[in-house]
Amino acid sequence: MFLLRHGPLDAEALRRAVASPEHGAVLVFHGDARASTAGRRVTGLWYEAFEPMALAGLEELAVAVRARHGVGAIACAPRLGAVPVGETAMVLAVGAPHREAALAATADYIQRLKQDVPIWKREHFEDGTRWVGSATDPQARAAARTA
Amino acid sequence: MFLLRHGPLDAEALRRAVASPEHGAVLVFHGDARASTAGRRVTGLWYEAFEPMALAGLEELAVAVRARHGVGAIACAPRLGAVPVGETAMVLAVGAPHREAALAATADYIQRLKQDVPIWKREHFEDGTRWVGSATDPQARAAARTA
Amino acid sequence: MRVQVRYFAALREALALGEESLEVPPGTRAGDLLDLLGARRPALAAHRAGLRRAVGTRFAEPGLLLQDGDEVALIPPVSGG
Amino acid sequence: MRVQVRYFAALREALALGEESLEVPPGTRAGDLLDLLGARRPALAAHRAGLRRAVGTRFAEPGLLLQDGDEVALIPPVSGG
């Protein structure tokens, strides 16, 4: 189950999608909108996607991560549009026979998602906004210089 | 929030207990009853606890794991009594500013839980039962010999 | 003095007993209990591997001096939820 | 031949444009597009660092030969959900 939706996410539907009698471990990760980042107060987030490519990317990533970690099922639903502070911006559910594989697959999936799936986050502050990671974002440029 | 209950678990209540505007990562682990173990068909599980010690242990473990991994909140609810195959036997929820700490804390908490919290699992098979890890369980003795 | 001894899981089933009150000499340590119990509970022998003791709700070292009224739990290997 | 070029996120905002149709010579490769666009879209220059290209719904190497009707997306650094 891979979804790109505006509005609140249904984490329980994703959990059910990956649960099975062969899966002793079901891990449900919620990426929630934090009230601050790098010491700066955040007033809300906004997500944009290149939707057909993002959906294809979520599925391809699942195939690769399932094969690498021997997990049985992956479901993922990033939320698009406005996400208020405290609400969930992304749910990832992983079902596996054992917890070690579920944990490793979760870490791996999220890391690749943040590199290779065309979804962009804009942070809103009291005095402005920034596209996270953008070439013209001062924080991203600083991170690139020190990397 | 630490609970020992008979009957189905409320994972959403645990998620809410650890979510906060400072937590960008909320991980909800479900330990579910599998239909097989070591190639043997399982017909159901049964859990027993030394309840006051188990509750104290869940809380102490949370204090230690929070300090070690810098996570903000941990909630855990192992289920007692009969757990049918496919149902959830334990929910652990971890809230942290970032996902790396949430993942590490989840792995650490479960591993220590399985070592140090007095909860016992009995597996039911079509032709018998066993207490997992018991000194008189042939599988546990075999594991100890080869460890 | 008397202590209350509690049994769980495989051990409880092997003994067909959840708990019992035991008269022990003053100066008895947590680690002495199994030997004191051994004669009347021969089924204990098969469960000594990996068995831990708790006094109250905390694991206890074998050297811990027991006190009158202590509740001592014998904890077989756990599987933890 | 013509290709459709799509812009997203910071780049879309910088250009104030979501997509446009572009006439390119036969033999144009994915990696040539930024130079072809540069003259009419000077705001692109500040976004070239980390910019990737996709043709259809897959990332494309700079050497990929474009075909008439291709949809080419310019993908600024993503943050992935």
Side-chain angles (χ1 to χ4, degrees):
Chain A
M1 178 185 278
F2 300 92
L3 301 170
L4 290 169
R5 289 279 170 79
H6 292 251
L9 301 173
D10 182 356
E12 170 62 10
L14 271 74
R15 185 200 66 77
R16 279 197 307 269
V18 304
S20 103
E22 301 311 319
H23 294 162
V26 173
L27 203 51
V28 183
F29 174 85
H30 304 250
D32 292 355
R34 296 168 67 215
S36 65
T37 180
R40 215 168 158 197
R41 195 169 152 231
V42 174
T43 56
L45 300 179
W46 176 274
Y47 287 90
E48 170 177 335
F50 177 20
E51 297 194 24
M53 183 175 173
L55 267 181
L58 293 174
E59 296 208 37
E60 276 172 34
L61 209 47
V63 170
V65 168
R66 282 167 53 198
R68 174 176 311 170
H69 297 282
V71 306
I74 295 178
C76 186
R79 179 170 170 180
L80 300 182
V83 179
V85 166
E87 294 195 10
T88 296
M90 190 269 274
V91 175
L92 169 66
V94 174
H98 300 288
R99 70 183 187 282
E100 294 83 357
L103 285 159
T106 297
D108 196 11
Y109 193 95
I110 300 172
Q111 184 172 332
R112 290 150 164 259
L113 171 68
K114 288 180 179 287
Q115 288 167 0
D116 290 331
V117 176
I119 300 175
W120 297 272
K121 169 162 72 172
R122 187 159 58 173
E123 291 173 340
H124 291 254
F125 306 102
E126 287 164 313
D127 58 354
T129 78
R130 72 174 186 120
W131 286 101
V132 175
S134 155
T136 59
D137 173 54
Q139 275 180 243
R141 285 208 306 270
R145 273 199 304 275
T146 61
Chain B
M1 178 184 279
F2 301 92
L3 301 169
L4 290 169
R5 290 277 171 80
H6 292 252
L9 303 172
D10 182 357
E12 171 61 12
L14 271 75
R15 186 200 65 78
R16 280 196 307 270
V18 304
S20 103
E22 301 310 320
H23 294 163
V26 173
L27 204 51
V28 183
F29 173 85
H30 305 249
D32 292 356
R34 295 167 68 215
S36 66
T37 180
R40 218 169 154 196
R41 193 170 153 229
V42 174
T43 56
L45 301 179
W46 175 274
Y47 287 91
E48 169 177 336
F50 178 19
E51 297 194 24
M53 183 174 173
L55 267 181
L58 294 174
E59 296 207 37
E60 276 172 35
L61 209 48
V63 170
V65 169
R66 281 166 55 198
R68 174 176 309 171
H69 297 282
V71 306
I74 295 178
C76 186
R79 179 170 171 180
L80 300 182
V83 178
V85 165
E87 294 195 12
T88 296
M90 190 270 273
V91 175
L92 169 67
V94 174
H98 300 287
R99 71 184 186 281
E100 294 84 355
L103 285 159
T106 297
D108 196 11
Y109 193 95
I110 300 172
Q111 184 172 332
R112 289 149 163 259
L113 171 66
K114 286 179 180 289
Q115 288 168 358
D116 290 331
V117 176
I119 300 176
W120 297 271
K121 169 162 72 173
R122 186 160 58 173
E123 291 172 341
H124 292 254
F125 306 102
E126 285 163 314
D127 57 355
T129 77
R130 72 174 186 120
W131 285 101
V132 175
S134 156
T136 59
D137 174 54
Q139 274 181 242
R141 285 208 307 270
R145 273 199 304 275
T146 60
Chain C
M1 67 184 195
R2 296 195 79 79
V3 297
Q4 192 73 10
V5 186
R6 302 193 60 175
Y7 306 107
F8 294 95
L11 184 54
R12 176 179 53 71
E13 290 192 344
L15 302 183
L17 187 69
E19 54 187 297
E20 64 182 316
S21 177
L22 189 71
E23 181 70 32
V24 299
T28 297
R29 296 173 189 272
D32 302 330
L33 258 194
L34 291 188
D35 290 333
L36 290 170
L37 281 163
R40 63 200 274 196
R41 302 285 172 214
L44 254 173
H47 289 268
R48 290 182 76 139
L51 196 64
R52 289 184 280 181
R53 306 151 204 86
V55 174
T57 61
R58 296 191 153 271
F59 285 113
E61 294 300 316
L64 184 75
L65 270 174
L66 297 182
Q67 303 184 345
D68 187 50
D70 270 349
E71 192 172 270
V72 184
L74 296 186
I75 310 279
V78 306
S79 61
Chain D
M1 65 184 195
R2 297 195 78 78
V3 297
Q4 191 73 9
V5 186
R6 300 193 60 173
Y7 307 108
F8 294 95
L11 183 55
R12 177 180 52 71
E13 290 191 345
L15 303 184
L17 187 69
E19 54 186 296
E20 64 183 315
S21 177
L22 189 71
E23 181 70 34
V24 298
T28 297
R29 295 172 190 273
D32 302 330
L33 257 194
L34 290 188
D35 290 333
L36 289 171
L37 281 163
R40 62 200 275 195
R41 302 286 172 212
L44 255 173
H47 290 268
R48 291 182 74 140
L51 195 64
R52 288 185 281 181
R53 304 152 204 86
V55 174
T57 61
R58 298 192 151 269
F59 285 113
E61 294 301 316
L64 184 75
L65 269 175
L66 298 182
Q67 302 183 345
D68 187 49
D70 270 349
E71 193 172 88
V72 185
L74 297 186
I75 311 278
V78 306
S79 62

